[in-house]
Amino acid sequence: VRQAMGVMVDVLFRVPIFSLETAPKAWLPGLEEAVSKWGEIDEASVIDAEACAAVAARLFASKKAAGELANFTRTGRSNNRPMQWCRICISEHMSFPLHAHPNIEFIYVVRGRLFERRLKYIPTRGPFAAGPALYPVDLATYTEADFVEASYQANAYLVNEIGSIHRSFTLDQRCDLFCLWGGCHANVPAALTPPSERLPDENERLFKVGDRSALLREHEAICPAAPPSSPQPTSSRGRD
């Protein structure tokens, strides 16, 4: 268990790295083990593994990222990064800074409500340095109109494809998440963050919304080093 003020991360299952020849039959590796572990920790909630698997396939396909999910099921990695299933508990009135996802993420909201402001475009899909590296692209010229806001209440699902960018936060409810991720984000430095998305003080990675004096450090989730991946095509910045 890793814990910082406002955020607690329980690693439920670390997905082993495997080759295609030894890949498990389960098409979402580690899902059943993670659901079982969740039940031991939180008996008050039930997670439907079959529903998670079906929704993950549908949502990644809808984002034209089915291949990214398939890469994980074949290797146990995403974008060359080891993956893990986690229970993430976020206190009320907490916010993560604007960040990119160097690997895929799948999230099921078990309780509470998660809010986000998401960039409509994916400026780059990498490569990303190993570990919780900073995002390498200048986003400072983007405006509030380039972002869309959404919220996800209990029993909702969301996915993040490689390179997707958002800022997630809670309001007056704690939020508990069942999550597949790589253990870290690629945070956008304050100087490269659009003014509309900057938090009051970005010298720390996580802090309480509206309280400039209560700066909190993001949980120290360090990704193991991984070989760099080849650069992928960059999507153009479009307009709706």
Side-chain angles (χ1 to χ4, degrees):
V1 178
R2 290 190 294 268
Q3 184 170 3
M5 292 179 64
V7 178
M8 180 180 71
V9 180
D10 275 315
V11 178
L12 303 173
F13 186 78
R14 298 184 189 277
V15 179
I17 298 173
F18 47 79
S19 66
L20 188 61
E21 292 75 17
T22 60
K25 294 181 180 179
W27 74 277
L28 274 185
L31 174 59
E32 293 182 356
E33 293 89 342
V35 168
S36 176
K37 184 65 175 178
W38 180 288
E40 297 175 9
I41 297 173
D42 186 351
E43 297 180 354
S45 57
V46 177
I47 296 175
D48 186 333
E50 185 175 350
C52 286
V55 173
R58 176 169 56 82
L59 291 181
F60 276 106
S62 72
K63 291 177 174 284
K64 296 180 171 47
E68 295 178 5
L69 181 63
N71 180 64
F72 165 65
T73 64
R74 288 195 304 266
T75 65
R77 299 190 192 193
S78 173
N79 203 17
N80 290 319
R81 291 164 174 261
M83 299 290 284
Q84 56 195 27
W85 292 92
C86 293
R87 172 176 176 252
I88 301 179
C89 302
I90 309 170
S91 296
E92 64 274 11
H93 301 292
M94 303 301 298
S95 179
F96 290 94
L98 191 68
H99 60 269
H101 297 96
N103 42 255
I104 63 169
E105 286 187 7
F106 168 77
I107 296 172
Y108 171 59
V109 181
V110 178
R111 59 174 59 89
R113 185 185 291 265
L114 183 70
F115 295 81
E116 72 165 5
R117 286 185 52 76
R118 180 176 294 271
L119 185 63
K120 298 175 182 177
Y121 331 106
I122 298 181
T124 181
R125 296 182 184 272
F128 293 94
L134 295 178
Y135 188 66
V137 178
D138 189 349
L139 305 178
T141 60
Y142 285 78
T143 69
E144 188 173 0
D146 293 312
F147 290 79
V148 60
E149 188 163 321
S151 68
Y152 306 88
Q153 61 185 4
N155 298 317
Y157 302 85
L158 66 147
V159 299
N160 292 304
E161 65 270 50
I162 295 171
S164 59
I165 297 172
H166 73 160
R167 176 171 65 84
S168 50
F169 55 96
T170 59
L171 293 179
D172 57 358
Q173 296 182 55
R174 162 181 163 162
C175 186
D176 294 351
L177 308 175
F178 176 68
C179 181
L180 170 70
W181 72 321
C184 63
H185 298 141
N187 287 329
V188 180
L192 308 184
T193 297
S196 66
E197 307 308 315
R198 289 176 188 162
L199 300 178
D201 189 333
E202 298 228 4
N203 292 325
E204 298 291 333
R205 291 174 180 260
L206 187 68
F207 65 91
K208 193 168 185 178
V209 174
D211 185 351
R212 293 171 183 261
S213 65
L215 299 176
L216 306 172
R217 189 176 303 237
E218 185 180 2
H219 60 273
E220 296 177 354
I222 305 301
C223 294
S229 58
S230 300
Q232 300 182 32
T234 299
S235 62
S236 60
R237 175 179 172 182
R239 298 285 177 184
D240 290 349

PDB file of all heavy atoms in Angstrom, residues 205-229:
ATOM      1  N   ARG A 205       2.892  17.782  -6.899  1.00  0.00           N
ATOM      2  CA  ARG A 205       2.174  17.026  -7.907  1.00  0.00           C
ATOM      3  C   ARG A 205       0.698  16.826  -7.581  1.00  0.00           C
ATOM      4  O   ARG A 205      -0.069  16.454  -8.450  1.00  0.00           O
ATOM      5  CB  ARG A 205       2.829  15.646  -8.079  1.00  0.00           C
ATOM      6  CG  ARG A 205       4.204  15.722  -8.708  1.00  0.00           C
ATOM      7  CD  ARG A 205       4.822  14.326  -8.704  1.00  0.00           C
ATOM      8  NE  ARG A 205       6.137  14.355  -9.293  1.00  0.00           N
ATOM      9  CZ  ARG A 205       6.400  13.990 -10.536  1.00  0.00           C
ATOM     10  NH1 ARG A 205       5.441  13.612 -11.319  1.00  0.00           N
ATOM     11  NH2 ARG A 205       7.623  14.030 -11.000  1.00  0.00           N
ATOM     12  N   LEU A 206       0.290  17.017  -6.349  1.00  0.00           N
ATOM     13  CA  LEU A 206      -1.095  16.788  -5.985  1.00  0.00           C
ATOM     14  C   LEU A 206      -1.438  17.705  -4.837  1.00  0.00           C
ATOM     15  O   LEU A 206      -0.654  17.893  -3.930  1.00  0.00           O
ATOM     16  CB  LEU A 206      -1.290  15.323  -5.544  1.00  0.00           C
ATOM     17  CG  LEU A 206      -2.721  14.875  -5.281  1.00  0.00           C
ATOM     18  CD1 LEU A 206      -3.510  14.830  -6.573  1.00  0.00           C
ATOM     19  CD2 LEU A 206      -2.712  13.511  -4.640  1.00  0.00           C
ATOM     20  N   PHE A 207      -2.585  18.344  -4.856  1.00  0.00           N
ATOM     21  CA  PHE A 207      -2.935  19.212  -3.753  1.00  0.00           C
ATOM     22  C   PHE A 207      -4.434  19.392  -3.645  1.00  0.00           C
ATOM     23  O   PHE A 207      -5.191  19.026  -4.526  1.00  0.00           O
ATOM     24  CB  PHE A 207      -2.248  20.563  -3.862  1.00  0.00           C
ATOM     25  CG  PHE A 207      -2.675  21.385  -5.040  1.00  0.00           C
ATOM     26  CD1 PHE A 207      -3.730  22.267  -4.927  1.00  0.00           C
ATOM     27  CD2 PHE A 207      -2.023  21.251  -6.246  1.00  0.00           C
ATOM     28  CE1 PHE A 207      -4.125  23.020  -6.014  1.00  0.00           C
ATOM     29  CE2 PHE A 207      -2.427  22.009  -7.331  1.00  0.00           C
ATOM     30  CZ  PHE A 207      -3.471  22.896  -7.219  1.00  0.00           C
ATOM     31  N   LYS A 208      -4.843  19.984  -2.552  1.00  0.00           N
ATOM     32  CA  LYS A 208      -6.255  20.175  -2.275  1.00  0.00           C
ATOM     33  C   LYS A 208      -6.791  21.353  -3.072  1.00  0.00           C
ATOM     34  O   LYS A 208      -6.239  22.434  -3.045  1.00  0.00           O
ATOM     35  CB  LYS A 208      -6.480  20.407  -0.775  1.00  0.00           C
ATOM     36  CG  LYS A 208      -7.927  20.311  -0.348  1.00  0.00           C
ATOM     37  CD  LYS A 208      -8.024  20.262   1.160  1.00  0.00           C
ATOM     38  CE  LYS A 208      -9.459  20.033   1.592  1.00  0.00           C
ATOM     39  NZ  LYS A 208      -9.579  19.928   3.057  1.00  0.00           N
ATOM     40  N   VAL A 209      -7.902  21.121  -3.779  1.00  0.00           N
ATOM     41  CA  VAL A 209      -8.481  22.154  -4.620  1.00  0.00           C
ATOM     42  C   VAL A 209      -8.893  23.349  -3.770  1.00  0.00           C
ATOM     43  O   VAL A 209      -9.545  23.208  -2.753  1.00  0.00           O
ATOM     44  CB  VAL A 209      -9.701  21.599  -5.371  1.00  0.00           C
ATOM     45  CG1 VAL A 209     -10.398  22.710  -6.148  1.00  0.00           C
ATOM     46  CG2 VAL A 209      -9.275  20.492  -6.317  1.00  0.00           C
ATOM     47  N   GLY A 210      -8.495  24.541  -4.209  1.00  0.00           N
ATOM     48  CA  GLY A 210      -8.916  25.761  -3.551  1.00  0.00           C
ATOM     49  C   GLY A 210      -8.123  26.121  -2.312  1.00  0.00           C
ATOM     50  O   GLY A 210      -8.376  27.147  -1.695  1.00  0.00           O
ATOM     51  N   ASP A 211      -7.167  25.306  -1.911  1.00  0.00           N
ATOM     52  CA  ASP A 211      -6.375  25.599  -0.722  1.00  0.00           C
ATOM     53  C   ASP A 211      -4.915  25.643  -1.128  1.00  0.00           C
ATOM     54  O   ASP A 211      -4.238  24.631  -1.212  1.00  0.00           O
ATOM     55  CB  ASP A 211      -6.604  24.525   0.344  1.00  0.00           C
ATOM     56  CG  ASP A 211      -5.901  24.851   1.659  1.00  0.00           C
ATOM     57  OD1 ASP A 211      -5.113  25.809   1.675  1.00  0.00           O
ATOM     58  OD2 ASP A 211      -6.147  24.157   2.641  1.00  0.00           O
ATOM     59  N   ARG A 212      -4.403  26.824  -1.392  1.00  0.00           N
ATOM     60  CA  ARG A 212      -3.045  26.968  -1.905  1.00  0.00           C
ATOM     61  C   ARG A 212      -1.998  26.528  -0.896  1.00  0.00           C
ATOM     62  O   ARG A 212      -0.870  26.224  -1.243  1.00  0.00           O
ATOM     63  CB  ARG A 212      -2.801  28.417  -2.305  1.00  0.00           C
ATOM     64  CG  ARG A 212      -3.635  28.872  -3.492  1.00  0.00           C
ATOM     65  CD  ARG A 212      -3.510  30.363  -3.706  1.00  0.00           C
ATOM     66  NE  ARG A 212      -4.360  30.812  -4.803  1.00  0.00           N
ATOM     67  CZ  ARG A 212      -3.931  31.027  -6.035  1.00  0.00           C
ATOM     68  NH1 ARG A 212      -2.677  30.833  -6.326  1.00  0.00           N
ATOM     69  NH2 ARG A 212      -4.753  31.436  -6.968  1.00  0.00           N
ATOM     70  N   SER A 213      -2.343  26.519   0.387  1.00  0.00           N
ATOM     71  CA  SER A 213      -1.354  26.174   1.400  1.00  0.00           C
ATOM     72  C   SER A 213      -1.280  24.679   1.656  1.00  0.00           C
ATOM     73  O   SER A 213      -0.361  24.198   2.299  1.00  0.00           O
ATOM     74  CB  SER A 213      -1.688  26.886   2.708  1.00  0.00           C
ATOM     75  OG  SER A 213      -2.915  26.418   3.231  1.00  0.00           O
ATOM     76  N   ALA A 214      -2.263  23.931   1.167  1.00  0.00           N
ATOM     77  CA  ALA A 214      -2.311  22.489   1.453  1.00  0.00           C
ATOM     78  C   ALA A 214      -1.806  21.699   0.260  1.00  0.00           C
ATOM     79  O   ALA A 214      -2.516  20.904  -0.331  1.00  0.00           O
ATOM     80  CB  ALA A 214      -3.732  22.067   1.819  1.00  0.00           C
ATOM     81  N   LEU A 215      -0.563  21.932  -0.122  1.00  0.00           N
ATOM     82  CA  LEU A 215       0.013  21.219  -1.257  1.00  0.00           C
ATOM     83  C   LEU A 215       0.426  19.807  -0.847  1.00  0.00           C
ATOM     84  O   LEU A 215       1.069  19.615   0.168  1.00  0.00           O
ATOM     85  CB  LEU A 215       1.231  21.984  -1.775  1.00  0.00           C
ATOM     86  CG  LEU A 215       0.929  23.404  -2.263  1.00  0.00           C
ATOM     87  CD1 LEU A 215       2.211  24.105  -2.656  1.00  0.00           C
ATOM     88  CD2 LEU A 215      -0.036  23.364  -3.414  1.00  0.00           C
ATOM     89  N   LEU A 216       0.053  18.865  -1.660  1.00  0.00           N
ATOM     90  CA  LEU A 216       0.323  17.472  -1.345  1.00  0.00           C
ATOM     91  C   LEU A 216       1.085  16.823  -2.485  1.00  0.00           C
ATOM     92  O   LEU A 216       0.874  17.131  -3.643  1.00  0.00           O
ATOM     93  CB  LEU A 216      -1.007  16.730  -1.126  1.00  0.00           C
ATOM     94  CG  LEU A 216      -1.946  17.362  -0.096  1.00  0.00           C
ATOM     95  CD1 LEU A 216      -3.285  16.652  -0.117  1.00  0.00           C
ATOM     96  CD2 LEU A 216      -1.323  17.296   1.272  1.00  0.00           C
ATOM     97  N   ARG A 217       1.938  15.947  -2.134  1.00  0.00           N
ATOM     98  CA  ARG A 217       2.737  15.251  -3.138  1.00  0.00           C
ATOM     99  C   ARG A 217       1.989  14.045  -3.686  1.00  0.00           C
ATOM    100  O   ARG A 217       1.350  13.314  -2.952  1.00  0.00           O
ATOM    101  CB  ARG A 217       4.046  14.774  -2.518  1.00  0.00           C
ATOM    102  CG  ARG A 217       5.053  14.211  -3.531  1.00  0.00           C
ATOM    103  CD  ARG A 217       6.329  13.878  -2.801  1.00  0.00           C
ATOM    104  NE  ARG A 217       6.811  15.069  -2.122  1.00  0.00           N
ATOM    105  CZ  ARG A 217       8.006  15.592  -2.322  1.00  0.00           C
ATOM    106  NH1 ARG A 217       8.828  15.041  -3.142  1.00  0.00           N
ATOM    107  NH2 ARG A 217       8.377  16.676  -1.672  1.00  0.00           N
ATOM    108  N   GLU A 218       2.047  13.860  -4.979  1.00  0.00           N
ATOM    109  CA  GLU A 218       1.416  12.689  -5.591  1.00  0.00           C
ATOM    110  C   GLU A 218       2.098  11.429  -5.071  1.00  0.00           C
ATOM    111  O   GLU A 218       3.280  11.425  -4.778  1.00  0.00           O
ATOM    112  CB  GLU A 218       1.543  12.753  -7.116  1.00  0.00           C
ATOM    113  CG  GLU A 218       0.799  11.633  -7.843  1.00  0.00           C
ATOM    114  CD  GLU A 218       0.968  11.742  -9.357  1.00  0.00           C
ATOM    115  OE1 GLU A 218       1.675  12.655  -9.812  1.00  0.00           O
ATOM    116  OE2 GLU A 218       0.395  10.914 -10.040  1.00  0.00           O
ATOM    117  N   HIS A 219       1.312  10.362  -4.960  1.00  0.00           N
ATOM    118  CA  HIS A 219       1.879   9.115  -4.453  1.00  0.00           C
ATOM    119  C   HIS A 219       3.078   8.707  -5.301  1.00  0.00           C
ATOM    120  O   HIS A 219       3.096   8.901  -6.513  1.00  0.00           O
ATOM    121  CB  HIS A 219       0.826   8.012  -4.472  1.00  0.00           C
ATOM    122  CG  HIS A 219       0.284   7.723  -5.834  1.00  0.00           C
ATOM    123  ND1 HIS A 219      -0.781   8.406  -6.377  1.00  0.00           N
ATOM    124  CD2 HIS A 219       0.686   6.847  -6.772  1.00  0.00           C
ATOM    125  CE1 HIS A 219      -1.022   7.957  -7.580  1.00  0.00           C
ATOM    126  NE2 HIS A 219      -0.145   7.016  -7.855  1.00  0.00           N
ATOM    127  N   GLU A 220       4.086   8.155  -4.648  1.00  0.00           N
ATOM    128  CA  GLU A 220       5.341   7.835  -5.333  1.00  0.00           C
ATOM    129  C   GLU A 220       5.230   6.457  -5.967  1.00  0.00           C
ATOM    130  O   GLU A 220       5.672   5.452  -5.415  1.00  0.00           O
ATOM    131  CB  GLU A 220       6.504   7.897  -4.346  1.00  0.00           C
ATOM    132  CG  GLU A 220       6.725   9.305  -3.789  1.00  0.00           C
ATOM    133  CD  GLU A 220       7.827   9.333  -2.766  1.00  0.00           C
ATOM    134  OE1 GLU A 220       8.337   8.253  -2.410  1.00  0.00           O
ATOM    135  OE2 GLU A 220       8.169  10.430  -2.303  1.00  0.00           O
ATOM    136  N   ALA A 221       4.618   6.446  -7.150  1.00  0.00           N
ATOM    137  CA  ALA A 221       4.443   5.196  -7.883  1.00  0.00           C
ATOM    138  C   ALA A 221       5.492   5.155  -8.983  1.00  0.00           C
ATOM    139  O   ALA A 221       5.348   5.804 -10.006  1.00  0.00           O
ATOM    140  CB  ALA A 221       3.038   5.110  -8.459  1.00  0.00           C
ATOM    141  N   ILE A 222       6.558   4.461  -8.748  1.00  0.00           N
ATOM    142  CA  ILE A 222       7.680   4.450  -9.681  1.00  0.00           C
ATOM    143  C   ILE A 222       7.574   3.253 -10.614  1.00  0.00           C
ATOM    144  O   ILE A 222       7.460   2.115 -10.191  1.00  0.00           O
ATOM    145  CB  ILE A 222       9.022   4.387  -8.936  1.00  0.00           C
ATOM    146  CG1 ILE A 222       9.102   5.545  -7.932  1.00  0.00           C
ATOM    147  CG2 ILE A 222      10.176   4.440  -9.923  1.00  0.00           C
ATOM    148  CD1 ILE A 222       8.982   6.908  -8.554  1.00  0.00           C
ATOM    149  N   CYS A 223       7.595   3.532 -11.898  1.00  0.00           N
ATOM    150  CA  CYS A 223       7.543   2.461 -12.894  1.00  0.00           C
ATOM    151  C   CYS A 223       8.940   1.877 -13.087  1.00  0.00           C
ATOM    152  O   CYS A 223       9.912   2.623 -13.161  1.00  0.00           O
ATOM    153  CB  CYS A 223       7.067   3.002 -14.233  1.00  0.00           C
ATOM    154  SG  CYS A 223       5.375   3.577 -14.227  1.00  0.00           S
ATOM    155  N   PRO A 224       9.065   0.572 -13.206  1.00  0.00           N
ATOM    156  CA  PRO A 224      10.372  -0.005 -13.525  1.00  0.00           C
ATOM    157  C   PRO A 224      10.843   0.492 -14.892  1.00  0.00           C
ATOM    158  O   PRO A 224      10.040   0.804 -15.762  1.00  0.00           O
ATOM    159  CB  PRO A 224      10.084  -1.519 -13.567  1.00  0.00           C
ATOM    160  CG  PRO A 224       8.817  -1.687 -12.787  1.00  0.00           C
ATOM    161  CD  PRO A 224       8.030  -0.434 -13.016  1.00  0.00           C
ATOM    162  N   ALA A 225      12.149   0.573 -15.043  1.00  0.00           N
ATOM    163  CA  ALA A 225      12.692   1.018 -16.325  1.00  0.00           C
ATOM    164  C   ALA A 225      12.287   0.057 -17.421  1.00  0.00           C
ATOM    165  O   ALA A 225      12.196  -1.152 -17.223  1.00  0.00           O
ATOM    166  CB  ALA A 225      14.215   1.122 -16.239  1.00  0.00           C
ATOM    167  N   ALA A 226      12.046   0.591 -18.597  1.00  0.00           N
ATOM    168  CA  ALA A 226      11.658  -0.233 -19.739  1.00  0.00           C
ATOM    169  C   ALA A 226      12.352   0.318 -20.971  1.00  0.00           C
ATOM    170  O   ALA A 226      12.636   1.517 -21.056  1.00  0.00           O
ATOM    171  CB  ALA A 226      10.142  -0.207 -19.931  1.00  0.00           C
ATOM    172  N   PRO A 227      12.640  -0.545 -21.960  1.00  0.00           N
ATOM    173  CA  PRO A 227      13.287  -0.045 -23.173  1.00  0.00           C
ATOM    174  C   PRO A 227      12.374   0.924 -23.897  1.00  0.00           C
ATOM    175  O   PRO A 227      11.153   0.763 -23.878  1.00  0.00           O
ATOM    176  CB  PRO A 227      13.512  -1.331 -23.990  1.00  0.00           C
ATOM    177  CG  PRO A 227      12.506  -2.303 -23.459  1.00  0.00           C
ATOM    178  CD  PRO A 227      12.374  -1.977 -22.014  1.00  0.00           C
ATOM    179  N   PRO A 228      12.933   1.956 -24.528  1.00  0.00           N
ATOM    180  CA  PRO A 228      12.092   2.928 -25.231  1.00  0.00           C
ATOM    181  C   PRO A 228      11.407   2.302 -26.427  1.00  0.00           C
ATOM    182  O   PRO A 228      11.925   1.385 -27.059  1.00  0.00           O
ATOM    183  CB  PRO A 228      13.090   4.012 -25.660  1.00  0.00           C
ATOM    184  CG  PRO A 228      14.397   3.293 -25.740  1.00  0.00           C
ATOM    185  CD  PRO A 228      14.358   2.258 -24.642  1.00  0.00           C
ATOM    186  N   SER A 229      10.215   2.772 -26.714  1.00  0.00           N
ATOM    187  CA  SER A 229       9.488   2.282 -27.882  1.00  0.00           C
ATOM    188  C   SER A 229       9.786   3.187 -29.064  1.00  0.00           C
ATOM    189  O   SER A 229      10.311   4.291 -28.923  1.00  0.00           O
ATOM    190  CB  SER A 229       7.980   2.282 -27.599  1.00  0.00           C
ATOM    191  OG  SER A 229       7.557   3.576 -27.265  1.00  0.00           O
TER     192      SER A 229
END
